[in-house]
Amino acid sequence: MPLWHIYHPVGAYSDQDKQEFARDITKFYTGVGLPDFYVVALFHEIPESSFFIGGEPTGNTVRVVVEHIARHTQDPHLRKRMTEALNALMLRYTKDRGLHWEFHVDETPQDMWMIAGLWPPAPGSEAEQAWARENRPIP
Amino acid sequence: MPLWHIYHPVGAYSDQDKQEFARDITKFYTGVGLPDFYVVALFHEIPESSFFIGGEPTGNTVRVVVEHIARHTQDPHLRKRMTEALNALMLRYTKDRGLHWEFHVDETPQDMWMIAGLWPPAPGSEAEQAWARENRPIP
Amino acid sequence: MPLWHIYHPVGAYSDQDKQEFARDITKFYTGVGLPDFYVVALFHEIPESSFFIGGEPTGNTVRVVVEHIARHTQDPHLRKRMTEALNALMLRYTKDRGLHWEFHVDETPQDMWMIAGLWPPAPGSEAEQAWARENRPIP
């Protein structure tokens, strides 16, 4: 948690671009207290002949799927603010390059998630802070 | 919204097939009032050695994952009818070609979804109709 | 149902490894009464330059996403036990090979899922047992 899937056109991002994008994603979550290693980003290159919007092939669209596990909020204001913050961090890798982009966030159960065979500590707990400090799962 | 992931055998679909499949998917949603450009379809070619059913490699299966964001209904009858309609539109690209197929729909939060940096308008609203008419997000 | 997505480093698994992993996954579910053919596993090879943890490229991580449709339980104890059992079956293909691993389970609606154009029978029903016995969908 979180898991980002970034579906993008072939050649849209250099290795350097991907690393910077992944770092920007990571910064967002560590800013709210999550350990670095919680943040997984997968880049999926999709050929234009396999990527359709409105039934037409597209070579300039980035479609992002974000899965949140560790943190859920029910507060509509916080949800809105968080979603807009996620959008903001994508701009450099989408809008600023003339790419169309769309994303959505899914929320999955907190109690069916393990890392390296361990149950992640409760959100905001001492243990979670220790995991964040050491940047590794601690048995 | 919607986002379709179509996991299919290598070579199962020509570029033309994929376009027709994506257009049929699109038609389904525009038929209920959604803008064309809401409909994203991604085709993922999976080698037989990476595609397993019941623990055995398969080269003739199509597995579809549909993510719905903009429209959710709680009415069991409508849900059933919609799911059967989705199945019907797949037949030409699965059953009729001798392929096994399975799909499921997931529903994700409407309030954590943005397109081109904008909040999509409320379902059925005037604004949504305008987006559909112009087939683009309107700030 | 279930659908397993296994995102893994290039070359991490031989075809034989993948088959054994898929068989172990299948065994878990058939052990609780599901038909073999319900169990779909997709292996996705992700290049190190597209696979990031904490903003850094990783070549030794396996990230698994499990989607459950046919069976959901609300019992916290059963959920915990099941999640730990899923972790246990992964060890041979992750920890035992020196790979880091993380997984989570998502639960999607039971009433928006079809196999080969049919509605899967109710969990635990006679019909489901027949599908399991014959290992195929029966109209």
Tab-separated table of all heavy atoms in Angstrom, chain B residues 7 46 49-57 63 65 68 76 79-80 82-84 87 100-107, chain C residues 1 3 5 15 18-19 22-23 26 36-37 39-44 67 69 106 108-109 111-117 119:
chain	number	residue	atom	x	y	z
B	7	TYR	N	-7.457	-9.411	-20.687
B	7	TYR	CA	-6.278	-10.288	-20.682
B	7	TYR	C	-6.547	-11.409	-21.675
B	7	TYR	O	-7.509	-12.165	-21.498
B	7	TYR	CB	-6.016	-10.842	-19.284
B	7	TYR	CG	-5.802	-9.736	-18.275
B	7	TYR	CD1	-6.845	-9.265	-17.489
B	7	TYR	CD2	-4.555	-9.121	-18.137
B	7	TYR	CE1	-6.661	-8.223	-16.582
B	7	TYR	CE2	-4.359	-8.084	-17.243
B	7	TYR	CZ	-5.414	-7.639	-16.470
B	7	TYR	OH	-5.228	-6.602	-15.583
B	46	ILE	N	-1.217	-12.034	-22.899
B	46	ILE	CA	-0.566	-12.869	-21.877
B	46	ILE	C	-0.096	-14.175	-22.523
B	46	ILE	O	-0.911	-14.929	-23.063
B	46	ILE	CB	-1.551	-13.209	-20.728
B	46	ILE	CG1	-2.214	-11.941	-20.173
B	46	ILE	CG2	-0.837	-13.997	-19.623
B	46	ILE	CD1	-1.346	-11.065	-19.324
B	49	SER	N	2.408	-19.426	-21.195
B	49	SER	CA	3.193	-19.875	-20.038
B	49	SER	C	3.005	-18.971	-18.814
B	49	SER	O	3.588	-19.223	-17.759
B	49	SER	CB	4.677	-19.915	-20.402
B	49	SER	OG	5.114	-18.613	-20.759
B	50	SER	N	2.190	-17.918	-18.949
B	50	SER	CA	1.941	-17.009	-17.825
B	50	SER	C	0.461	-16.893	-17.483
B	50	SER	O	0.079	-16.087	-16.641
B	50	SER	CB	2.490	-15.613	-18.156
B	50	SER	OG	3.900	-15.640	-18.215
B	51	PHE	N	-0.358	-17.705	-18.125
B	51	PHE	CA	-1.821	-17.605	-18.010
B	51	PHE	C	-2.325	-18.980	-17.567
B	51	PHE	O	-2.283	-19.937	-18.330
B	51	PHE	CB	-2.391	-17.240	-19.387
B	51	PHE	CG	-3.773	-16.640	-19.412
B	51	PHE	CD1	-4.094	-15.665	-20.359
B	51	PHE	CD2	-4.769	-17.043	-18.541
B	51	PHE	CE1	-5.360	-15.087	-20.424
B	51	PHE	CE2	-6.038	-16.475	-18.597
B	51	PHE	CZ	-6.336	-15.504	-19.540
B	52	PHE	N	-2.799	-19.054	-16.339
B	52	PHE	CA	-3.190	-20.348	-15.780
B	52	PHE	C	-4.652	-20.375	-15.352
B	52	PHE	O	-5.142	-19.420	-14.735
B	52	PHE	CB	-2.328	-20.685	-14.557
B	52	PHE	CG	-0.893	-20.939	-14.906
B	52	PHE	CD1	0.015	-19.901	-14.968
B	52	PHE	CD2	-0.464	-22.222	-15.216
B	52	PHE	CE1	1.345	-20.124	-15.317
B	52	PHE	CE2	0.862	-22.464	-15.558
B	52	PHE	CZ	1.762	-21.405	-15.609
B	53	ILE	N	-5.282	-21.470	-15.687
B	53	ILE	CA	-6.621	-21.746	-15.153
B	53	ILE	C	-6.551	-23.088	-14.445
B	53	ILE	O	-6.111	-24.085	-15.035
B	53	ILE	CB	-7.665	-21.840	-16.284
B	53	ILE	CG1	-7.793	-20.485	-16.964
B	53	ILE	CG2	-8.996	-22.317	-15.726
B	53	ILE	CD1	-9.198	-20.123	-17.311
B	54	GLY	N	-6.967	-23.105	-13.201
B	54	GLY	CA	-6.944	-24.356	-12.447
B	54	GLY	C	-5.553	-24.969	-12.384
B	54	GLY	O	-5.418	-26.186	-12.321
B	55	GLY	N	-4.526	-24.121	-12.436
B	55	GLY	CA	-3.157	-24.624	-12.322
B	55	GLY	C	-2.558	-25.118	-13.631
B	55	GLY	O	-1.416	-25.568	-13.653
B	56	GLU	N	-3.316	-25.010	-14.730
B	56	GLU	CA	-2.804	-25.446	-16.034
B	56	GLU	C	-2.681	-24.245	-16.968
B	56	GLU	O	-3.548	-23.373	-16.961
B	56	GLU	CB	-3.751	-26.480	-16.664
B	56	GLU	CG	-3.921	-27.751	-15.842
B	56	GLU	CD	-2.590	-28.473	-15.601
B	56	GLU	OE1	-1.775	-28.527	-16.535
B	56	GLU	OE2	-2.371	-28.952	-14.467
B	57	PRO	N	-1.627	-24.217	-17.799
B	57	PRO	CA	-1.494	-23.116	-18.754
B	57	PRO	C	-2.652	-23.133	-19.743
B	57	PRO	O	-3.116	-24.202	-20.136
B	57	PRO	CB	-0.174	-23.414	-19.485
B	57	PRO	CG	0.392	-24.637	-18.894
B	57	PRO	CD	-0.537	-25.203	-17.899
B	63	ARG	N	-9.797	-13.264	-20.002
B	63	ARG	CA	-10.241	-12.875	-18.657
B	63	ARG	C	-10.380	-11.370	-18.644
B	63	ARG	O	-9.405	-10.646	-18.900
B	63	ARG	CB	-9.207	-13.353	-17.634
B	63	ARG	CG	-9.595	-13.099	-16.182
B	63	ARG	CD	-10.830	-13.916	-15.777
B	63	ARG	NE	-11.107	-13.825	-14.347
B	63	ARG	CZ	-11.807	-12.826	-13.787
B	63	ARG	NH1	-12.302	-11.847	-14.515
B	63	ARG	NH2	-12.030	-12.829	-12.473
B	65	VAL	N	-11.534	-7.836	-16.686
B	65	VAL	CA	-11.807	-7.141	-15.426
B	65	VAL	C	-12.361	-5.760	-15.772
B	65	VAL	O	-11.730	-5.003	-16.514
B	65	VAL	CB	-10.543	-6.993	-14.564
B	65	VAL	CG1	-10.850	-6.209	-13.285
B	65	VAL	CG2	-9.951	-8.361	-14.235
B	68	HIS	N	-15.918	-0.098	-12.647
B	68	HIS	CA	-16.960	0.916	-12.791
B	68	HIS	C	-16.790	1.985	-11.720
B	68	HIS	O	-16.669	1.677	-10.546
B	68	HIS	CB	-18.350	0.284	-12.660
B	68	HIS	CG	-18.819	-0.372	-13.913
B	68	HIS	ND1	-20.029	-1.009	-14.028
B	68	HIS	CD2	-18.238	-0.478	-15.136
B	68	HIS	CE1	-20.163	-1.483	-15.261
B	68	HIS	NE2	-19.092	-1.196	-15.951
B	76	PRO	N	-30.774	-4.985	-7.471
B	76	PRO	CA	-30.271	-6.300	-7.895
B	76	PRO	C	-30.691	-6.657	-9.321
B	76	PRO	O	-29.923	-7.273	-10.070
B	76	PRO	CB	-30.921	-7.279	-6.902
B	76	PRO	CG	-31.382	-6.452	-5.757
B	76	PRO	CD	-31.637	-5.073	-6.280
B	79	ARG	N	-28.536	-4.692	-11.734
B	79	ARG	CA	-27.169	-5.212	-11.715
B	79	ARG	C	-27.070	-6.481	-12.560
B	79	ARG	O	-26.120	-6.666	-13.315
B	79	ARG	CB	-26.719	-5.518	-10.277
B	79	ARG	CG	-26.515	-4.251	-9.438
B	79	ARG	CD	-26.385	-4.559	-7.956
B	79	ARG	NE	-25.126	-5.213	-7.614
B	79	ARG	CZ	-24.006	-4.566	-7.300
B	79	ARG	NH1	-23.992	-3.254	-7.285
B	79	ARG	NH2	-22.913	-5.234	-6.991
B	80	LYS	N	-28.091	-7.321	-12.409
B	80	LYS	CA	-28.103	-8.575	-13.165
B	80	LYS	C	-28.205	-8.282	-14.661
B	80	LYS	O	-27.468	-8.843	-15.475
B	80	LYS	CB	-29.298	-9.419	-12.695
B	80	LYS	CG	-29.240	-10.832	-13.210
B	80	LYS	CD	-30.401	-11.689	-12.716
B	80	LYS	CE	-30.316	-13.044	-13.399
B	80	LYS	NZ	-31.628	-13.622	-13.682
B	82	MET	N	-27.466	-5.571	-16.269
B	82	MET	CA	-26.264	-4.936	-16.805
B	82	MET	C	-25.150	-5.967	-17.016
B	82	MET	O	-24.476	-5.968	-18.047
B	82	MET	CB	-25.761	-3.852	-15.850
B	82	MET	CG	-24.624	-3.053	-16.475
B	82	MET	SD	-23.631	-2.274	-15.203
B	82	MET	CE	-22.895	-3.731	-14.405
B	83	THR	N	-24.958	-6.830	-16.024
B	83	THR	CA	-23.894	-7.835	-16.143
B	83	THR	C	-24.149	-8.736	-17.348
B	83	THR	O	-23.229	-9.069	-18.107
B	83	THR	CB	-23.790	-8.645	-14.830
B	83	THR	OG1	-23.668	-7.727	-13.736
B	83	THR	CG2	-22.593	-9.568	-14.848
B	84	GLU	N	-25.399	-9.116	-17.544
B	84	GLU	CA	-25.718	-9.961	-18.710
B	84	GLU	C	-25.504	-9.204	-20.025
B	84	GLU	O	-25.103	-9.801	-21.038
B	84	GLU	CB	-27.147	-10.496	-18.589
B	84	GLU	CG	-27.241	-11.543	-17.468
B	84	GLU	CD	-28.642	-12.118	-17.251
B	84	GLU	OE1	-29.615	-11.506	-17.760
B	84	GLU	OE2	-28.749	-13.167	-16.592
B	87	ASN	N	-21.850	-9.304	-20.711
B	87	ASN	CA	-21.510	-10.628	-21.249
B	87	ASN	C	-21.881	-10.715	-22.725
B	87	ASN	O	-21.101	-11.199	-23.552
B	87	ASN	CB	-22.249	-11.712	-20.462
B	87	ASN	CG	-21.961	-13.104	-20.995
B	87	ASN	OD1	-20.841	-13.585	-20.920
B	87	ASN	ND2	-22.975	-13.738	-21.573
B	100	HIS	N	-12.677	-19.584	-24.206
B	100	HIS	CA	-13.300	-19.558	-22.880
B	100	HIS	C	-13.214	-18.126	-22.355
B	100	HIS	O	-12.247	-17.413	-22.650
B	100	HIS	CB	-12.554	-20.526	-21.955
B	100	HIS	CG	-13.060	-20.531	-20.540
B	100	HIS	ND1	-14.324	-20.936	-20.194
B	100	HIS	CD2	-12.463	-20.167	-19.375
B	100	HIS	CE1	-14.489	-20.815	-18.889
B	100	HIS	NE2	-13.371	-20.358	-18.368
B	101	TRP	N	-14.204	-17.710	-21.572
B	101	TRP	CA	-14.127	-16.346	-21.051
B	101	TRP	C	-14.752	-16.249	-19.663
B	101	TRP	O	-15.641	-17.022	-19.298
B	101	TRP	CB	-14.756	-15.336	-22.012
B	101	TRP	CG	-16.263	-15.302	-22.055
B	101	TRP	CD1	-17.075	-14.320	-21.568
B	101	TRP	CD2	-17.139	-16.261	-22.642
B	101	TRP	NE1	-18.401	-14.619	-21.817
B	101	TRP	CE2	-18.465	-15.798	-22.465
B	101	TRP	CE3	-16.937	-17.499	-23.295
B	101	TRP	CZ2	-19.576	-16.514	-22.917
B	101	TRP	CZ3	-18.041	-18.209	-23.738
B	101	TRP	CH2	-19.341	-17.712	-23.545
B	102	GLU	N	-14.238	-15.318	-18.911
B	102	GLU	CA	-14.746	-15.022	-17.564
B	102	GLU	C	-14.549	-13.535	-17.333
B	102	GLU	O	-13.574	-12.941	-17.814
B	102	GLU	CB	-13.944	-15.809	-16.514
B	102	GLU	CG	-14.376	-15.495	-15.089
B	102	GLU	CD	-13.622	-16.265	-13.992
B	102	GLU	OE1	-12.912	-17.232	-14.313
B	102	GLU	OE2	-13.745	-15.866	-12.813
B	103	PHE	N	-15.479	-12.927	-16.629
B	103	PHE	CA	-15.286	-11.512	-16.290
B	103	PHE	C	-15.955	-11.204	-14.959
B	103	PHE	O	-16.835	-11.926	-14.503
B	103	PHE	CB	-15.853	-10.593	-17.381
B	103	PHE	CG	-17.359	-10.521	-17.414
B	103	PHE	CD1	-18.035	-9.466	-16.800
B	103	PHE	CD2	-18.103	-11.490	-18.059
B	103	PHE	CE1	-19.421	-9.390	-16.821
B	103	PHE	CE2	-19.496	-11.435	-18.091
B	103	PHE	CZ	-20.159	-10.385	-17.469
B	104	HIS	N	-15.481	-10.147	-14.346
B	104	HIS	CA	-16.184	-9.616	-13.188
B	104	HIS	C	-16.055	-8.098	-13.204
B	104	HIS	O	-15.177	-7.538	-13.858
B	104	HIS	CB	-15.647	-10.207	-11.875
B	104	HIS	CG	-14.327	-9.658	-11.440
B	104	HIS	ND1	-13.127	-10.154	-11.877
B	104	HIS	CD2	-13.998	-8.631	-10.603
B	104	HIS	CE1	-12.128	-9.477	-11.326
B	104	HIS	NE2	-12.629	-8.535	-10.546
B	105	VAL	N	-16.971	-7.484	-12.491
B	105	VAL	CA	-17.018	-6.031	-12.400
B	105	VAL	C	-16.654	-5.628	-10.978
B	105	VAL	O	-17.143	-6.232	-10.015
B	105	VAL	CB	-18.439	-5.505	-12.720
B	105	VAL	CG1	-18.487	-3.981	-12.638
B	105	VAL	CG2	-18.910	-5.998	-14.085
B	106	ASP	N	-15.799	-4.650	-10.846
B	106	ASP	CA	-15.539	-4.062	-9.538
B	106	ASP	C	-16.102	-2.637	-9.544
B	106	ASP	O	-16.206	-2.005	-10.594
B	106	ASP	CB	-14.035	-4.036	-9.254
B	106	ASP	CG	-13.739	-3.724	-7.784
B	106	ASP	OD1	-14.672	-3.775	-6.953
B	106	ASP	OD2	-12.577	-3.429	-7.465
B	107	GLU	N	-16.493	-2.180	-8.372
B	107	GLU	CA	-17.028	-0.828	-8.259
B	107	GLU	C	-16.130	-0.039	-7.320
B	107	GLU	O	-15.849	-0.471	-6.211
B	107	GLU	CB	-18.450	-0.875	-7.709
B	107	GLU	CG	-19.394	-1.603	-8.660
B	107	GLU	CD	-20.801	-1.723	-8.125
B	107	GLU	OE1	-20.960	-2.204	-6.981
B	107	GLU	OE2	-21.734	-1.341	-8.843
C	1	MET	N	-13.026	-16.105	-10.362
C	1	MET	CA	-12.674	-15.982	-8.953
C	1	MET	C	-11.939	-17.202	-8.493
C	1	MET	O	-12.424	-18.284	-8.791
C	1	MET	CB	-13.922	-15.892	-8.088
C	1	MET	CG	-13.886	-16.696	-6.780
C	1	MET	SD	-13.044	-15.827	-5.453
C	1	MET	CE	-12.528	-17.166	-4.354
C	3	LEU	N	-8.914	-14.322	-8.872
C	3	LEU	CA	-7.961	-13.904	-9.897
C	3	LEU	C	-6.702	-13.424	-9.186
C	3	LEU	O	-6.774	-12.528	-8.340
C	3	LEU	CB	-8.569	-12.780	-10.731
C	3	LEU	CG	-7.649	-12.119	-11.762
C	3	LEU	CD1	-7.157	-13.118	-12.800
C	3	LEU	CD2	-8.384	-10.969	-12.451
C	5	HIS	N	-2.999	-11.754	-9.698
C	5	HIS	CA	-2.016	-11.070	-10.526
C	5	HIS	C	-0.678	-11.146	-9.796
C	5	HIS	O	-0.567	-10.653	-8.661
C	5	HIS	CB	-2.364	-9.594	-10.706
C	5	HIS	CG	-3.564	-9.334	-11.541
C	5	HIS	ND1	-3.562	-9.444	-12.903
C	5	HIS	CD2	-4.821	-8.955	-11.207
C	5	HIS	CE1	-4.756	-9.133	-13.375
C	5	HIS	NE2	-5.545	-8.834	-12.372
C	15	ASP	N	9.015	-21.501	-16.517
C	15	ASP	CA	7.653	-21.959	-16.821
C	15	ASP	C	7.199	-22.996	-15.790
C	15	ASP	O	6.043	-23.009	-15.370
C	15	ASP	CB	7.600	-22.563	-18.228
C	15	ASP	CG	7.757	-21.492	-19.307
C	15	ASP	OD1	7.844	-20.289	-18.968
C	15	ASP	OD2	7.798	-21.851	-20.494
C	18	LYS	N	6.222	-21.285	-12.554
C	18	LYS	CA	4.912	-20.646	-12.650
C	18	LYS	C	3.803	-21.684	-12.545
C	18	LYS	O	2.812	-21.474	-11.846
C	18	LYS	CB	4.815	-19.853	-13.963
C	18	LYS	CG	5.674	-18.592	-13.937
C	18	LYS	CD	5.444	-17.696	-15.130
C	18	LYS	CE	6.309	-18.088	-16.304
C	18	LYS	NZ	6.288	-17.085	-17.394
C	19	GLN	N	4.018	-22.799	-13.204
C	19	GLN	CA	2.984	-23.834	-13.118
C	19	GLN	C	2.840	-24.337	-11.682
C	19	GLN	O	1.724	-24.522	-11.188
C	19	GLN	CB	3.326	-24.992	-14.051
C	19	GLN	CG	2.371	-26.173	-13.859
C	19	GLN	CD	1.950	-26.806	-15.136
C	19	GLN	OE1	2.685	-26.821	-16.109
C	19	GLN	NE2	0.753	-27.358	-15.161
C	22	ALA	N	1.051	-21.732	-9.658
C	22	ALA	CA	-0.382	-21.713	-10.015
C	22	ALA	C	-1.105	-22.932	-9.439
C	22	ALA	O	-2.259	-22.846	-9.002
C	22	ALA	CB	-0.548	-21.661	-11.527
C	23	ARG	N	-0.421	-24.050	-9.423
C	23	ARG	CA	-1.043	-25.266	-8.846
C	23	ARG	C	-1.221	-25.136	-7.344
C	23	ARG	O	-2.228	-25.586	-6.787
C	23	ARG	CB	-0.202	-26.502	-9.182
C	23	ARG	CG	-0.412	-26.947	-10.616
C	23	ARG	CD	0.321	-28.245	-10.915
C	23	ARG	NE	0.044	-28.672	-12.278
C	23	ARG	CZ	0.786	-29.553	-12.958
C	23	ARG	NH1	1.853	-30.104	-12.375
C	23	ARG	NH2	0.476	-29.881	-14.185
C	26	THR	N	-4.141	-22.966	-6.799
C	26	THR	CA	-5.381	-23.700	-7.113
C	26	THR	C	-5.756	-24.648	-5.981
C	26	THR	O	-6.922	-24.708	-5.565
C	26	THR	CB	-5.204	-24.473	-8.437
C	26	THR	OG1	-4.855	-23.542	-9.465
C	26	THR	CG2	-6.492	-25.197	-8.810
C	36	ASP	N	-11.746	-26.233	-9.755
C	36	ASP	CA	-10.403	-25.895	-10.246
C	36	ASP	C	-10.429	-24.708	-11.203
C	36	ASP	O	-9.608	-23.790	-11.109
C	36	ASP	CB	-9.796	-27.058	-11.040
C	36	ASP	CG	-9.366	-28.219	-10.178
C	36	ASP	OD1	-10.200	-28.766	-9.444
C	36	ASP	OD2	-8.180	-28.582	-10.248
C	37	PHE	N	-11.353	-24.744	-12.136
C	37	PHE	CA	-11.304	-23.771	-13.240
C	37	PHE	C	-11.705	-22.368	-12.800
C	37	PHE	O	-11.594	-21.429	-13.584
C	37	PHE	CB	-12.159	-24.244	-14.424
C	37	PHE	CG	-13.639	-24.167	-14.200
C	37	PHE	CD1	-14.341	-23.011	-14.536
C	37	PHE	CD2	-14.336	-25.231	-13.645
C	37	PHE	CE1	-15.708	-22.934	-14.329
C	37	PHE	CE2	-15.692	-25.165	-13.435
C	37	PHE	CZ	-16.394	-24.010	-13.767
C	39	VAL	N	-10.026	-20.822	-10.653
C	39	VAL	CA	-8.775	-20.195	-10.199
C	39	VAL	C	-7.929	-19.738	-11.384
C	39	VAL	O	-7.397	-20.547	-12.135
C	39	VAL	CB	-7.966	-21.173	-9.325
C	39	VAL	CG1	-6.730	-20.478	-8.770
C	39	VAL	CG2	-8.840	-21.747	-8.209
C	40	VAL	N	-7.827	-18.432	-11.541
C	40	VAL	CA	-7.046	-17.861	-12.638
C	40	VAL	C	-5.822	-17.155	-12.057
C	40	VAL	O	-5.942	-16.366	-11.106
C	40	VAL	CB	-7.886	-16.866	-13.465
C	40	VAL	CG1	-7.063	-16.286	-14.614
C	40	VAL	CG2	-9.142	-17.548	-14.003
C	41	ALA	N	-4.656	-17.470	-12.604
C	41	ALA	CA	-3.416	-16.808	-12.177
C	41	ALA	C	-2.721	-16.229	-13.400
C	41	ALA	O	-2.516	-16.932	-14.398
C	41	ALA	CB	-2.498	-17.795	-11.463
C	42	LEU	N	-2.408	-14.948	-13.327
C	42	LEU	CA	-1.695	-14.270	-14.407
C	42	LEU	C	-0.340	-13.793	-13.897
C	42	LEU	O	-0.270	-13.100	-12.872
C	42	LEU	CB	-2.493	-13.054	-14.899
C	42	LEU	CG	-3.901	-13.323	-15.428
C	42	LEU	CD1	-4.604	-11.999	-15.747
C	42	LEU	CD2	-3.860	-14.189	-16.673
C	43	PHE	N	0.715	-14.179	-14.597
C	43	PHE	CA	2.058	-13.736	-14.235
C	43	PHE	C	2.449	-12.573	-15.138
C	43	PHE	O	2.349	-12.673	-16.358
C	43	PHE	CB	3.059	-14.880	-14.398
C	43	PHE	CG	2.909	-15.943	-13.345
C	43	PHE	CD1	1.963	-16.949	-13.475
C	43	PHE	CD2	3.694	-15.927	-12.207
C	43	PHE	CE1	1.805	-17.933	-12.496
C	43	PHE	CE2	3.559	-16.894	-11.225
C	43	PHE	CZ	2.610	-17.898	-11.364
C	44	HIS	N	2.871	-11.477	-14.498
C	44	HIS	CA	3.260	-10.288	-15.243
C	44	HIS	C	4.724	-9.978	-14.938
C	44	HIS	O	5.055	-9.637	-13.795
C	44	HIS	CB	2.417	-9.082	-14.817
C	44	HIS	CG	0.935	-9.290	-14.894
C	44	HIS	ND1	0.223	-9.166	-16.058
C	44	HIS	CD2	0.018	-9.610	-13.944
C	44	HIS	CE1	-1.074	-9.386	-15.819
C	44	HIS	NE2	-1.222	-9.660	-14.539
C	67	GLU	N	-7.814	-11.056	-6.222
C	67	GLU	CA	-9.196	-10.593	-6.260
C	67	GLU	C	-10.119	-11.757	-5.927
C	67	GLU	O	-10.114	-12.776	-6.601
C	67	GLU	CB	-9.524	-10.011	-7.636
C	67	GLU	CG	-8.557	-8.871	-7.992
C	67	GLU	CD	-8.984	-8.071	-9.218
C	67	GLU	OE1	-10.191	-7.806	-9.355
C	67	GLU	OE2	-8.116	-7.730	-10.024
C	69	ILE	N	-13.976	-13.100	-5.421
C	69	ILE	CA	-15.346	-12.819	-5.841
C	69	ILE	C	-16.321	-13.807	-5.208
C	69	ILE	O	-17.318	-13.425	-4.616
C	69	ILE	CB	-15.478	-12.921	-7.376
C	69	ILE	CG1	-14.326	-12.166	-8.058
C	69	ILE	CG2	-16.825	-12.387	-7.840
C	69	ILE	CD1	-14.174	-12.494	-9.529
C	106	ASP	N	-8.399	-8.038	-2.619
C	106	ASP	CA	-9.556	-7.180	-2.803
C	106	ASP	C	-10.787	-8.083	-2.927
C	106	ASP	O	-10.681	-9.236	-3.351
C	106	ASP	CB	-9.399	-6.322	-4.058
C	106	ASP	CG	-10.433	-5.192	-4.111
C	106	ASP	OD1	-11.101	-4.936	-3.084
C	106	ASP	OD2	-10.578	-4.573	-5.167
C	108	THR	N	-14.628	-8.258	-4.533
C	108	THR	CA	-15.493	-7.601	-5.514
C	108	THR	C	-16.866	-8.270	-5.500
C	108	THR	O	-17.022	-9.377	-4.986
C	108	THR	CB	-14.839	-7.646	-6.911
C	108	THR	OG1	-14.896	-8.978	-7.398
C	108	THR	CG2	-13.393	-7.161	-6.877
C	109	PRO	N	-17.862	-7.575	-6.062
C	109	PRO	CA	-19.251	-8.054	-5.920
C	109	PRO	C	-19.504	-9.439	-6.543
C	109	PRO	O	-19.095	-9.713	-7.664
C	109	PRO	CB	-20.066	-6.997	-6.674
C	109	PRO	CG	-19.196	-5.780	-6.717
C	109	PRO	CD	-17.784	-6.286	-6.757
C	111	ASP	N	-22.350	-10.576	-7.400
C	111	ASP	CA	-23.471	-10.577	-8.357
C	111	ASP	C	-23.131	-9.879	-9.673
C	111	ASP	O	-24.026	-9.595	-10.462
C	111	ASP	CB	-24.706	-9.937	-7.712
C	111	ASP	CG	-24.493	-8.487	-7.333
C	111	ASP	OD1	-23.327	-8.036	-7.327
C	111	ASP	OD2	-25.486	-7.801	-7.035
C	112	MET	N	-21.837	-9.618	-9.898
C	112	MET	CA	-21.437	-9.025	-11.177
C	112	MET	C	-20.255	-9.818	-11.721
C	112	MET	O	-19.169	-9.274	-11.966
C	112	MET	CB	-21.086	-7.545	-10.977
C	112	MET	CG	-22.274	-6.762	-10.427
C	112	MET	SD	-21.858	-5.052	-10.010
C	112	MET	CE	-22.155	-4.293	-11.596
C	113	TRP	N	-20.498	-11.084	-11.901
C	113	TRP	CA	-19.427	-12.016	-12.269
C	113	TRP	C	-20.033	-13.171	-13.041
C	113	TRP	O	-21.010	-13.770	-12.576
C	113	TRP	CB	-18.767	-12.501	-10.973
C	113	TRP	CG	-17.890	-13.698	-11.067
C	113	TRP	CD1	-16.852	-13.910	-11.948
C	113	TRP	CD2	-17.951	-14.873	-10.252
C	113	TRP	NE1	-16.278	-15.131	-11.704
C	113	TRP	CE2	-16.928	-15.736	-10.670
C	113	TRP	CE3	-18.758	-15.272	-9.197
C	113	TRP	CZ2	-16.700	-16.988	-10.088
C	113	TRP	CZ3	-18.541	-16.507	-8.603
C	113	TRP	CH2	-17.521	-17.340	-9.044
C	114	MET	N	-19.502	-13.460	-14.214
C	114	MET	CA	-20.009	-14.583	-15.015
C	114	MET	C	-18.844	-15.358	-15.615
C	114	MET	O	-17.779	-14.803	-15.889
C	114	MET	CB	-20.913	-14.078	-16.145
C	114	MET	CG	-22.163	-13.363	-15.669
C	114	MET	SD	-23.261	-12.856	-17.048
C	114	MET	CE	-24.131	-14.400	-17.365
C	115	ILE	N	-19.064	-16.652	-15.792
C	115	ILE	CA	-18.069	-17.531	-16.414
C	115	ILE	C	-18.710	-18.210	-17.610
C	115	ILE	O	-19.751	-18.861	-17.461
C	115	ILE	CB	-17.562	-18.610	-15.431
C	115	ILE	CG1	-16.945	-17.972	-14.194
C	115	ILE	CG2	-16.568	-19.525	-16.120
C	115	ILE	CD1	-16.377	-18.974	-13.200
C	116	ALA	N	-18.071	-18.055	-18.768
C	116	ALA	CA	-18.561	-18.710	-19.990
C	116	ALA	C	-20.050	-18.435	-20.198
C	116	ALA	O	-20.812	-19.309	-20.605
C	116	ALA	CB	-18.270	-20.212	-19.939
C	117	GLY	N	-20.457	-17.205	-19.897
C	117	GLY	CA	-21.839	-16.807	-20.140
C	117	GLY	C	-22.833	-17.300	-19.118
C	117	GLY	O	-24.040	-17.107	-19.275
C	119	TRP	N	-24.118	-17.748	-14.898
C	119	TRP	CA	-24.013	-17.290	-13.521
C	119	TRP	C	-23.464	-18.434	-12.679
C	119	TRP	O	-24.054	-19.505	-12.637
C	119	TRP	CB	-25.393	-16.890	-12.982
C	119	TRP	CG	-25.908	-15.650	-13.629
C	119	TRP	CD1	-26.850	-15.579	-14.615
C	119	TRP	CD2	-25.498	-14.303	-13.367
C	119	TRP	NE1	-27.055	-14.269	-14.986
C	119	TRP	CE2	-26.236	-13.463	-14.235
C	119	TRP	CE3	-24.576	-13.723	-12.488
C	119	TRP	CZ2	-26.081	-12.078	-14.243
C	119	TRP	CZ3	-24.427	-12.351	-12.498
C	119	TRP	CH2	-25.166	-11.541	-13.366
